[in-house]
Amino acid sequence: MSIEYRAAVLHAVGAPMTVEAVVGGDLGRGDVLVRIKAAGLCHTDLEVITGSLRYPLPIVLGHEAAGVVEALGPDASGLKVGDHVVLSWNPHCGHCFYCERDLPILCETYLTHGSKAVAFDGESHTRLHDGRDLRRLMFLGAFAEYAVVADHQAIVVPNELPFDRACLIGCGVMTGVGAALNIATIGYGDTVMVIGCGAVGLSAVQGARLAGAGEIIAVDLDAGKLALAGRVGATSLVDARSEDPSAIARAKTAGRGADVVFEAAGSPGSFRASVEAVRPGGEVIWLGKTDVAHDVAFRWGSLMGDKRIRRSSYGGARPARDFPLIARAYLDGKLMLDELISRHIALADINDGFLALQRGETIRSVVVF
Ligand SMILES: [Zn+2]
Ligand SMILES: [Zn+2]
């Protein structure tokens, strides 16, 4: 079975995406066809557009999505047609060196095929109308009306969860909430600092709150984003244009520094600030990214004191376990997602959506289908 559908295609770095008819839908073993209902615009997509993250082209971006199961391929299990699903961008084989060590984010098949922007079985499953191969970012390519994914990438969530909020769980929210709940060890009453209040940072603030943090210090350069951080649970707000985050962290902790610092801004300055602000023996979790070819310099003394520094890409996600828990937290009023949505846009407006993200005007624009 193959179908024709509309997708936003990036043909060249820096060029606007074009919405065009593409062909896909060939279901291999264990694949499912998902009709995309909502997809968030994430910074990782923007990195591909601007070229700081390099992938083969042409490509369909979009890796934070929710939709409805439309068809099941041979041997696809755990799903039925009509299920509402949030999509994971981290398919994993379950039995390679890293999967056996409980690190699906390093799954050898995931890493091998991920860099080629093909599906988890190594096939493209999607082509342009003229027959040329079309790549898909992070095993999804969700800026499209349909996506073929491996069955374990589609996680069933309750039908009452609206798609525009559901999609956020697939990347930004999982990354931030998961960093606080799965990666960091936050003790009850701990002082936590979150640097960068985009979707990931605002989710880390909320994860810290759910984990029982006492003081939650949010840091950003934008007053609007800081105000949002206050609404979702930050107890103090630091404008890094005029205040020094590490001085504030020490002032609030009898001179020691924060117990846990999340870096979610993705700039050399924020990486440096994260290790300056944490106390000796404390924990720094890096969530942001900068150009992989660039250096980041640190004051050596800021790395001393048995500080633990940890990189996390997807909040320690085990999607089948975590997505339903996060969905439930939202439905029970314990996690705020509405606040993360700045705009709803049509697929045709996707280029404007990314310009707004680049200018820092939005937390999340969500394409609704
Ligand atoms: Zn993302
Ligand atoms: Zn694996």
Side-chain angles (χ1 to χ4, degrees), residues 63-246:
H63 62 279
E64 182 179 87
V68 179
V69 174
E70 185 106 342
L72 302 176
D75 301 331
S77 64
L79 295 162
K80 59 185 188 305
V81 170
D83 278 343
H84 291 202
V85 292
V86 172
L87 300 181
S88 158
W89 50 253
N90 181 211
H92 49 280
C93 75
H95 51 72
C96 71
F97 179 90
Y98 288 108
C99 281
E100 293 288 15
R101 282 154 184 80
D102 206 24
L103 288 165
I105 198 70
L106 299 177
C107 169
E108 288 166 344
T109 307
Y110 165 82
L111 291 180
T112 301
H113 292 158
S115 59
K116 297 180 204 145
V118 291
F120 197 57
D121 60 7
E123 304 293 325
S124 154
H125 291 279
T126 319
R127 53 192 192 278
L128 294 172
H129 211 254
D130 64 13
R132 276 184 295 151
D133 226 22
L134 178 60
R135 307 302 174 106
R136 292 185 294 139
L137 183 67
M138 295 162 78
F139 304 96
L140 292 179
F143 296 143
E145 292 171 316
Y146 290 91
V148 173
V149 303
D151 53 6
H152 72 284
Q153 287 181 263
I155 312 301
V156 179
V157 292
N159 283 5
E160 65 262 37
L161 180 66
F163 289 112
D164 60 342
R165 277 143 272 192
C167 73
L168 307 177
I169 296 172
C171 185
V173 170
M174 180 70 245
T175 301
V177 171
L181 296 181
N182 296 335
I183 303 291
T185 11
I186 297 175
Y188 187 77
D190 272 1
T191 297
V192 171
M193 175 173 275
V194 177
I195 302 174
C197 297
V200 171
L202 293 171
S203 300
V205 165
Q206 299 196 66
R209 174 170 51 73
L210 291 169
E215 184 95 43
I216 302 174
I217 309 165
V219 181
D220 205 281
L221 302 168
D222 180 273
K225 289 179 181 166
L226 286 172
L228 260 181
R231 274 169 59 193
V232 302
T235 54
S236 38
L237 310 175
V238 176
D239 187 334
R241 289 171 302 184
S242 55
E243 298 171 289
D244 172 12
S246 64

Side-chain angles (χ1 to χ4, degrees), residues 28-45:
R29 286 191 104 69
D31 285 341
V32 296
L33 178 68
V34 175
R35 183 156 53 92
I36 304 294
K37 298 292 288 180
L41 276 59
C42 175
H43 269 276
T44 301
D45 304 305

Side-chain angles (χ1 to χ4, degrees), residues 185-364:
T185 11
I186 297 175
Y188 187 77
D190 272 1
T191 297
V192 171
M193 175 173 275
V194 177
I195 302 174
C197 297
V200 171
L202 293 171
S203 300
V205 165
Q206 299 196 66
R209 174 170 51 73
L210 291 169
E215 184 95 43
I216 302 174
I217 309 165
V219 181
D220 205 281
L221 302 168
D222 180 273
K225 289 179 181 166
L226 286 172
L228 260 181
R231 274 169 59 193
V232 302
T235 54
S236 38
L237 310 175
V238 176
D239 187 334
R241 289 171 302 184
S242 55
E243 298 171 289
D244 172 12
S246 64
I248 306 259
R250 285 194 298 274
K252 289 184 174 294
T253 53
R256 286 185 293 271
D259 298 298
V260 177
V261 177
F262 296 97
E263 188 287 327
S267 74
S270 62
F271 289 116
R272 277 193 288 276
S274 66
V275 289
E276 296 281 355
V278 78
R279 68 165 165 79
E283 192 172 24
V284 177
I285 315 286
W286 285 338
L287 304 173
K289 289 178 286 181
T290 187
D291 190 309
V292 291
H294 290 179
D295 291 346
V296 178
F298 294 91
R299 185 178 67 83
W300 184 246
S302 71
L303 304 173
M304 296 289 96
D306 280 27
K307 295 175 182 180
R308 289 164 289 156
I309 301 172
R310 168 88 189 260
R311 165 79 203 164
S312 171
S313 296
Y314 201 11
R318 303 309 299 254
R321 174 194 67 189
D322 295 335
F323 288 4
L325 288 175
I326 294 173
R328 183 41 59 197
Y330 171 77
L331 292 170
D332 290 348
K334 293 178 180 150
L335 181 77
M336 291 179 253
L337 300 178
D338 306 14
E339 287 72 8
L340 306 183
I341 301 175
S342 315
R343 294 176 191 172
H344 294 92
I345 62 172
L347 189 61
D349 299 322
I350 195 161
N351 295 303
D352 288 341
F354 276 109
L355 286 174
L357 184 67
Q358 197 164 20
R359 288 194 294 258
E361 294 169 7
T362 49
I363 302 294
R364 274 293 189 268

